[in-house]
Amino acid sequence: MSTERMNQRINRLDKLSERLFGEPGEVEYAEAEELLKTAGIDPSQLKNDLYQRMLERSEKYQGAGKPLPLRLRQALEDLRPGSEKPADQATVARTTARSAIVRLFREIQELPARLESGIKPEFSAAYRKRTELSVRDKKVLDEIMDELRKQTHG
C-alpha cells in the first residue's frame, strides 16, 4: 500500500473517530479505558505493546546515529511503563504542565543540533481551545518553573 493511500486511510479514520468520540483531548481517561475494554482490548497490554513498538523504532534511529523524531520521543515518554494516570485533577495538571515544560526545555537544547542536521522543526497547535491560560494553569506553570530554576541553578 502506498504511503499516500495509507495517509488517506489514517486521515479518514481520524475524522471518523473524532465524529464518534470527539477530539482526543475531550475523551476522559476512564471513558477511553472503557471503550477499549468494550472492544475487547486490554488497555495495559495495548500500552505495553505500543511502547515496545516505539522502543524498537527508536533503536533503529539510535543505531543509525540519527536523533529521534519529536513525536516518537513523546510517544515513548507517554507510554513508558509506570506512567499511569494520576488520581486527582491537580496532580494531572501538575504532571501535564511539568512534562510540557521539561519537553520544551529538551527541545530547545536539541534545536541547534537538529537544525544543523537538516531536520526541520515540528510545530503543533495547543490541545486546548482557549487562547489564554487560566489563573490555575498559570499558578501551576509558575510553580513548576520555579522548581526547575532551583534545580538548574542549584
Side-chain angles (χ1 to χ4, degrees), residues 82-97:
S83 60
E84 299 301 322
K85 175 188 163 279
D88 60 275
Q89 284 187 338
T91 305
V92 170
R94 183 176 301 282
T95 302
T96 302

Side-chain angles (χ1 to χ4, degrees), residues 2 16 18 24 27 34 39 57 75 78 85 92 106-107 116 119 123 128:
S2 73
L16 178 61
E18 284 182 16
V27 178
E34 184 180 327
R57 286 189 180 177
D78 293 343
K85 175 188 163 279
V92 170
R106 187 177 306 126
E107 290 170 15
E116 287 176 10
I119 295 176
F123 296 97
R128 289 187 173 202

Side-chain angles (χ1 to χ4, degrees), residues 89-90 93-94 97 126-143:
Q89 284 187 338
R94 183 176 301 282
Y127 63 90
R128 289 187 173 202
K129 294 180 183 177
R130 299 183 198 146
T131 57
E132 293 186 28
L133 292 173
S134 69
V135 173
R136 189 175 128 247
D137 288 343
K138 285 180 185 178
K139 182 180 175 195
V140 170
L141 288 171
D142 287 342
E143 289 172 3

Side-chain angles (χ1 to χ4, degrees), residues 43-55:
S44 298
Q45 186 62 45
L46 176 63
K47 182 178 176 183
N48 291 336
D49 291 348
L50 288 172
Y51 179 76
Q52 286 303 315
R53 281 186 183 173
M54 297 300 115
L55 191 60

